[in-house]
Amino acid sequence: MKRLLLFLAICFGGLFSAQAQDPNFHIYLCIGQSNMEGPAKIEAQDTLVDIRLQLLAAVDCPELGRTKGNWYTAKPPLCRCNTRLSPADYFGRTLVANLPQNIKVGFVHVAVAGSKIEIFDKKDYKMYLDTSAKERPWMINMANQYGGNPYERLVEMAKSAQNQGVIKGILLHQGESNTGDKAWPAKVKKIYDDLLTDLNLPANSIPLLAGELVNADQGGKCASMNTIIATLPQVIPNAIVVSSKGLPAVADKLHFSSEGIRIFGKRYAAALLASQGKKIEIDESSIAPPAPVKVQEGLLQGSTENGLSVYKGIPFTAPPVGELRWKAPQPAAKWEGVKNATQFAPAPYQGGNPPSGKSEDCLYLNIWSPAKTANENLPVMVWIYGGGFSFGATSELVTNGEKLAKKGVILVSIAYRVNQMGFLAHPELSAETPQKTSGNYGLLDMIAGLQWVRKNINAFGGNPDKVTIFGESAGGIAVSMLCASPLAKGLFHGAISQSGGSFGPHRITTYPGENMKLLALAEKQGIEFMEKAGAKSLAELRSLPADKLPSGFGNPGGWPIVDGYVIPDDQYLLYQKGKYNHTPVLIGYNSDEGASFMPPKTPKDYVDGVNKRYGPFAEKLIKAYPVDENSVPKTARDLARDAAFGWQTWVWANLQSQKSKDKVFYYYLDQHPEHPVGSAKFGYGSPHGQDVAFVFGNLNPVDQNRTATDAELSETIMNYWTNFAKNGDPNGENLPKWEAFSPKKTAVMYFQQKAFMGSVPSEDAMKVLDTYFEWRRTPEGKEWAK
C-alpha cells in the first residue's frame, strides 16, 4: 500500500512530499513585480518541461490542478494561476541542462505586478498596501491571494521547501515602480537579510540575482533605474546584476517580450553558473538583429522581436517643418552609413500626449515583417490611425503589429499630420501650389507613405502589388477618401474601413457624417485662423512655434475638405459615376457607436438635437429612431451611429456593388457582455473603437467588458482581415463563410460572440436616413443647409 501511495504521489505532483531534505534538490526563491511574475505569452515551446524542474505552489489553482504547498512539475505559469512566462522558467531549464542529472531544481515563486519593493518588507508591507497601493485595487487583490502578506507567504513556502531541499539563491526582478529611488538597494538588502534570518541561513550565504529593467537600447521607460540596480553589489556582497541589454520588449517598453523573457532567464542561469566557476554559452540568435535593409534613402538597421524583423521610425518624407509647414510632403533626404530604426518616432503635433511624444517632425512609418528573405513577396497591410483627424499615433500599444504580421503579412503603420498642421487651408497657401489648392496635407502624407511602400517594401519581403490599406474612425474615413482620390490610384489593391466612409454632402455647419467643406469656405476660415493667431502674413504664421498656434475644439482647419485635387468632388457623386479606385473592400462598424459621441441625456435633448440637424426630416427620423418617454435608449443613439458610420458603410456597399465587379464584404461588430436589467450599462452594445483591439489581437486583459469569447473572436477577425489582404476575400479554411454583399442580397457578417451571417441592422430606419441625405443634394436641401 505504501508503495502504491508513493507511486500516486509521484504521478500527481507529490514527488517530494514524502522525502527528507535532499542536498541535490536546489531551491530558488523568485520575487519581484510583473516581469518576474510572468508578463509574456506562453507558447507551445514553453510547455515541455523536464521533471527535474519543480514548483512549490504558493497559491491554490484548481484550474491548473495545483494546491498550495504541494510540488508540481514547473510548467508555466509559475506564479499565480493566470500569470504567464517568467524569467524563472528558462533560468530553471538552463540550470538542469547544465547540471549533473542527479541535481533537481525547485522554485518558490511570489511576485506582485506593479508593486514597489516595499510590498516585500517584513514590517512595512501593511503601510504600503494601506497607502500608495490602495489606489490599485488589482494589486490588493494579488496580495490577498498571498493571504494579504506576500513576504509571509514567501517565508512560509520557503520553510516548507527546506524540508525537501536546500535554498541556493534568490531571483529578483523589480524596480519599475521604484524608478529613481536611490534607497532601493538598501531596501532590497533589508529584505534579503530578513529572509536569511527567518530561514535560518547564514548572513550573505546565498546569491541574489537581480535583473536590469528594459534597457535604454530598447527604449525602456524605466531604464534610468538600471544605474541604481547596478549598485546593489555594493550593499549585498553576493548580489549579481543580470544585463538586459538587447532584450526585446513589448510596445509599452516596460515588459519584455516572450523571446526577451526566455533569453533573460538563460542569462540569469549563466550569471549564476559563472559565479560558481562554470562558464556556459547561451544561444541568443533568436534576438539577433536582422541584417541592414537597403531602401532608396540608405541602409536601415531594425531589431528582432519575437521572430519578426521590426523597423520603427523610418522617415518617408522630409520633416514638414519651417518652410515645409503646410506644404505637400517632400522626398526624404538620403543618409550615409546605417540608420538605426528601432524606436518609434514622435507622433504628429496634437493636443494629447502620445506614447512616443509629439513633434512637427513626425512623418515616419514602422514595419513588422515575418519574411526571412527579401524575395518572399508577402502581402502588405498599411494601417492608418484614427483620432478625428486631430489625434493619433503609430506607437499606441493597441496597434502593435506583431500578431497580424505573424499571420503571414507585412504590417506597416504610417503617420500623417493632424489637426491644423494637417488640414489648414488659406488663400496664400493655395496660391503657392500649381493646383491652386490647400489643406488635405494629412491625406497627401498618407499618399506619400503609400508611394514609399510601393518603392521599398520588396526589400522587406513584401509584394508592392498586393497592398491593403486599413484604418478605423478617421483612419477608416481616410481609407474611404483614398479610395476616391485619383492621386492614390495604383498604390493599394484592397481597402478595409472600420467605422469609416465619407459619403455625406458638404455643409457649412458640419455634423458627424456631414463633415466636408468646400475649398472656398475652408480658405475663408483659414484667414480667420491666421487672425486669431495674431499673424499678419503666412511667413509669420509659419514662424510661430506649434504650441503658440490656436488650439482646441472649434478651430478651423482640422478636417479634410473637398479641394478639387486630392478629393475632386462629393464622394457620393464620384461613386455614382464610377470615378474611384476599384478594389475589393471590407467595411463595417460597431453596434453602439452613438454611445461614444456625447449622447443626449434626456429625450428633450435628443428631439431638440434632431430638429436642429435634420430640420424638415426630424419627425420622420425620430419615428425611425424612437426615443423613450424618460430615457434615450439605443434605438435613439443609433441615429448618431448610422449618420456617422452606418449609413456611410451601407451606401458605400450599395454604390460599389452596383458600379464595380470588385467585391464588398460588410460586417457589424456587437461584442459585449449581457448587462443586467437595471444596470447603468443595460442595453449598451459595442462602442466606437472597440474593434481595433480585436483586429490587432491586443485585447486589454483588465477590460471590464471582456467576455469569454473575446480571444476566439479576435482570432477569427484577424484571420478574416489577413485573408482579405492575401486574396481580396476574407474567406478561408475553418472560418464561417462570409458572403459578399450585393443589392439583391444585403449580406452582413455579424461578430457577436461568434461569426455568423445576418442582414443589415436597422435597414428600414437607414432607408429613412437615406432620404434625408438624398434630399440634401437637391437645390432645396443645399439651400436649407446654408
Side-chain angles (χ1 to χ4, degrees):
M1 178 60 73
K2 288 182 179 178
R3 290 182 179 177
L4 176 60
L5 289 174
L6 180 58
F7 174 77
L8 292 173
I10 291 171
C11 291
F12 293 98
L15 181 58
F16 301 100
S17 60
Q19 297 180 7
Q21 188 180 59
D22 180 356
N24 292 323
F25 184 26
H26 297 179
I27 295 165
Y28 293 87
L29 311 183
C30 307
I31 64 173
Q33 55 184 110
S34 54
N35 274 310
M36 179 55 73
E37 180 185 79
K41 182 180 178 182
I42 299 168
E43 298 176 346
Q45 63 183 294
D46 309 315
T47 60
L48 298 175
V49 182
D50 191 318
I51 62 169
R52 292 164 57 208
L53 193 58
Q54 293 285 307
L55 170 71
L56 182 64
V59 295
D60 290 327
C61 288
E63 61 268 49
L64 299 176
R66 295 177 186 169
T67 303
K68 173 184 164 250
N70 286 345
W71 288 98
Y72 302 91
T73 301
K75 180 179 177 180
L78 302 185
C79 195
R80 296 183 313 282
C81 315
N82 297 313
T83 56
R84 302 199 286 177
L85 197 65
S86 162
D89 283 288
Y90 279 79
F91 168 81
R93 289 165 188 252
T94 307
L95 281 191
V96 297
N98 287 280
L99 292 174
Q101 284 292 316
N102 65 327
I103 301 293
K104 299 175 286 288
V105 173
F107 293 123
V108 175
H109 203 300
V110 176
V112 180
S115 63
K116 289 188 174 183
I117 195 66
E118 284 84 344
I119 203 170
F120 292 101
D121 187 280
K122 182 176 180 178
K123 293 182 178 179
D124 293 340
Y125 79 94
K126 188 73 167 57
M127 182 185 298
Y128 170 64
L129 288 173
D130 289 345
T131 54
S132 58
K134 195 173 183 179
E135 297 177 0
R136 300 178 175 183
W138 46 268
M139 189 193 300
I140 303 296
N141 177 57
M142 291 174 185
N144 286 342
Q145 293 179 54
Y146 298 121
N149 186 341
Y151 177 86
E152 186 177 78
R153 179 62 58 86
L154 179 67
V155 171
E156 176 194 353
M157 293 295 100
K159 285 182 175 179
S160 175
Q162 284 178 307
N163 292 326
Q164 280 81 41
V166 181
I167 294 176
K168 288 286 189 176
I170 300 171
L171 275 59
L172 170 70
H173 195 282
Q174 196 280 331
E176 291 89 351
S177 295
N178 286 84
T179 297
D181 182 359
K182 293 181 180 179
W184 182 84
K187 293 174 181 178
V188 174
K189 175 174 170 53
K190 181 179 182 300
I191 294 165
Y192 174 81
D193 289 343
D194 285 344
L195 277 172
L196 268 58
T197 299
D198 289 342
L199 297 174
N200 294 313
L201 296 171
N204 297 317
S205 60
I206 60 172
L208 183 146
L209 292 93
E212 290 182 336
L213 311 187
V214 174
N215 206 277
D217 64 14
Q218 301 297 308
K221 284 188 177 178
C222 300
S224 61
M225 184 64 182
N226 288 336
T227 59
I228 295 175
I229 294 172
T231 67
L232 196 58
Q234 297 173 20
V235 295
I236 302 175
N238 270 354
I240 301 168
V241 175
V242 184
S243 171
S244 66
K245 186 176 181 180
L247 296 179
V250 296
D252 66 6
K253 299 304 177 185
L254 292 171
H255 298 99
F256 297 97
S257 67
S258 295
E259 196 54 34
I261 285 289
R262 293 184 191 105
I263 301 296
F264 211 1
K266 294 176 184 179
R267 288 184 182 179
Y268 268 86
L272 176 69
L273 293 172
S275 73
Q276 299 170 354
K278 182 175 183 179
K279 186 176 181 180
I280 65 167
E281 296 294 332
I282 58 174
D283 181 9
E284 297 195 0
S285 60
S286 61
I287 63 168
V293 169
K294 191 176 189 313
V295 296
Q296 289 194 344
E297 296 80 12
L299 289 170
L300 286 168
Q301 179 62 69
S303 59
T304 298
E305 298 182 13
N306 285 339
L308 300 173
S309 296
V310 180
Y311 307 83
K312 298 173 183 173
I314 304 173
F316 64 88
T317 74
V321 300
E323 286 300 311
L324 295 185
R325 182 189 280 181
W326 297 310
K327 282 191 176 179
Q330 301 299 305
K334 295 187 177 182
W335 58 79
E336 297 294 328
V338 180
K339 178 180 278 294
N340 188 47
T342 59
Q343 305 294 328
F344 286 114
Y349 193 83
Q350 57 193 271
N353 294 297
S356 56
K358 57 188 177 183
S359 170
E360 276 197 84
D361 181 3
C362 62
L363 297 182
Y364 299 82
L365 57 80
N366 316 293
I367 297 172
W368 288 261
S369 174
K372 302 304 179 187
T373 64
N375 58 5
E376 293 191 29
N377 233 25
L378 297 177
V380 181
M381 297 182 73
V382 179
W383 170 252
I384 301 170
Y385 50 71
F389 293 109
S390 295
F391 304 93
T394 61
S395 55
E396 295 290 349
L397 292 178
V398 72
T399 57
N400 181 283
E402 178 181 312
K403 292 185 176 69
L404 283 175
K406 284 192 169 182
K407 290 188 174 291
V409 301
I410 291 178
L411 195 289
V412 181
S413 59
I414 57 175
Y416 62 93
R417 286 170 280 181
V418 298
N419 222 324
Q420 284 75 30
M421 294 301 185
F423 299 98
L424 184 73
H426 190 281
E428 288 184 56
L429 289 171
S430 296
E432 291 181 340
T433 68
Q435 300 81 20
K436 303 305 175 188
T437 64
S438 56
N440 289 343
Y441 303 110
L443 293 177
L444 289 169
D445 294 341
M446 299 173 204
I447 292 168
L450 290 169
Q451 289 170 336
W452 189 97
V453 168
R454 180 155 187 82
K455 293 173 184 175
N456 294 287
I457 202 64
N458 57 346
F460 302 87
N463 183 348
D465 294 319
K466 190 168 278 190
V467 174
T468 296
I469 56 174
F470 71 126
E472 182 270 341
S473 192
I477 293 169
V479 165
S480 166
M481 293 171 173
L482 293 172
C483 284
S485 176
L487 302 186
K489 185 176 182 180
L491 296 178
F492 59 92
H493 314 89
I496 300 173
S497 178
Q498 302 164 209
S499 303
S502 181
F503 291 85
H506 57 80
R507 187 168 179 169
I508 295 173
T509 302
T510 58
Y511 291 92
E514 294 175 278
N515 306 85
M516 303 301 288
K517 295 179 181 179
L518 298 178
L519 175 62
L521 176 59
E523 288 179 331
K524 181 181 177 182
Q525 292 180 332
I527 295 173
E528 296 170 6
F529 180 83
M530 181 184 285
E531 292 173 352
K532 192 173 180 179
K536 295 183 173 57
S537 68
L538 181 56
E540 192 174 330
L541 190 65
R542 278 190 170 126
S543 69
L544 287 174
D547 60 358
K548 300 300 181 185
L549 293 170
S551 62
F553 182 76
N555 278 294
W559 198 273
I561 60 171
V562 179
D563 64 349
Y565 173 52
V566 182
I567 302 176
D569 199 353
D570 180 327
Q571 191 166 315
Y572 185 97
L573 301 179
L574 291 174
Y575 267 68
Q576 275 191 324
K577 298 171 185 176
K579 293 183 176 180
Y580 60 91
N581 299 316
H582 292 255
T583 74
V585 297
L586 189 157
I587 54 180
Y589 53 99
N590 300 347
S591 63
D592 210 356
E593 309 257 15
S596 302
F597 295 92
M598 298 177 65
K601 295 180 179 179
T602 68
K604 184 179 184 304
D605 292 337
Y606 173 68
V607 171
D608 289 347
V610 175
N611 276 303
K612 182 179 180 182
R613 173 171 179 177
Y614 297 101
F617 279 78
E619 186 176 345
K620 292 178 182 178
L621 287 168
I622 290 170
K623 186 176 179 181
Y625 295 94
V627 67
D628 284 350
E629 186 177 342
N630 299 309
S631 65
V632 183
K634 185 174 181 297
T635 53
R637 295 197 303 271
D638 285 350
L639 176 55
R641 176 200 73 188
D642 288 348
F645 307 109
W647 179 83
Q648 313 288 336
T649 300
W650 179 74
V651 77
W652 186 353
N654 276 289
L655 286 170
Q656 175 148 332
S657 59
Q658 292 167 16
K659 300 289 181 178
S660 178
K661 294 180 180 178
D662 293 295
K663 291 182 178 180
V664 176
F665 297 93
Y666 191 136
Y667 77 86
Y668 180 72
L669 178 71
D670 189 31
Q671 179 73 358
H672 55 87
E674 290 301 323
H675 302 290
V677 176
S679 76
K681 286 289 187 180
F682 175 70
Y684 278 72
S686 290
H688 185 67
Q690 182 187 2
D691 49 308
V692 178
F694 281 84
V695 167
F696 281 86
N698 296 321
L699 299 174
N700 182 354
V702 296
D703 183 1
Q704 294 182 344
N705 291 315
R706 286 286 297 268
T707 78
T709 63
D710 280 6
E712 184 177 352
L713 188 64
S714 174
E715 189 70 17
T716 297
I717 290 172
M718 285 193 289
N719 286 330
Y720 278 134
W721 264 234
T722 51
N723 284 346
F724 181 81
K726 294 170 184 176
N727 308 309
D729 187 312
N731 290 294
E733 189 177 354
N734 300 322
L735 289 170
K737 182 172 175 55
W738 191 334
E739 299 175 50
F741 181 98
S742 73
K744 293 181 179 179
K745 188 170 186 180
T746 55
V748 177
M749 175 61 78
Y750 277 64
F751 297 122
Q752 190 180 69
Q753 306 304 323
K754 60 181 181 179
F756 60 91
M757 295 304 299
S759 57
V760 175
S762 309
E763 187 169 26
D764 288 342
M766 201 110 69
K767 288 177 179 177
V768 178
L769 183 60
D770 187 53
T771 63
Y772 162 76
F773 281 114
E774 185 179 359
W775 171 74
R776 278 279 289 104
R777 288 185 169 85
T778 67
E780 180 188 5
K782 291 177 182 178
E783 186 63 28
W784 172 83
K786 293 179 181 179

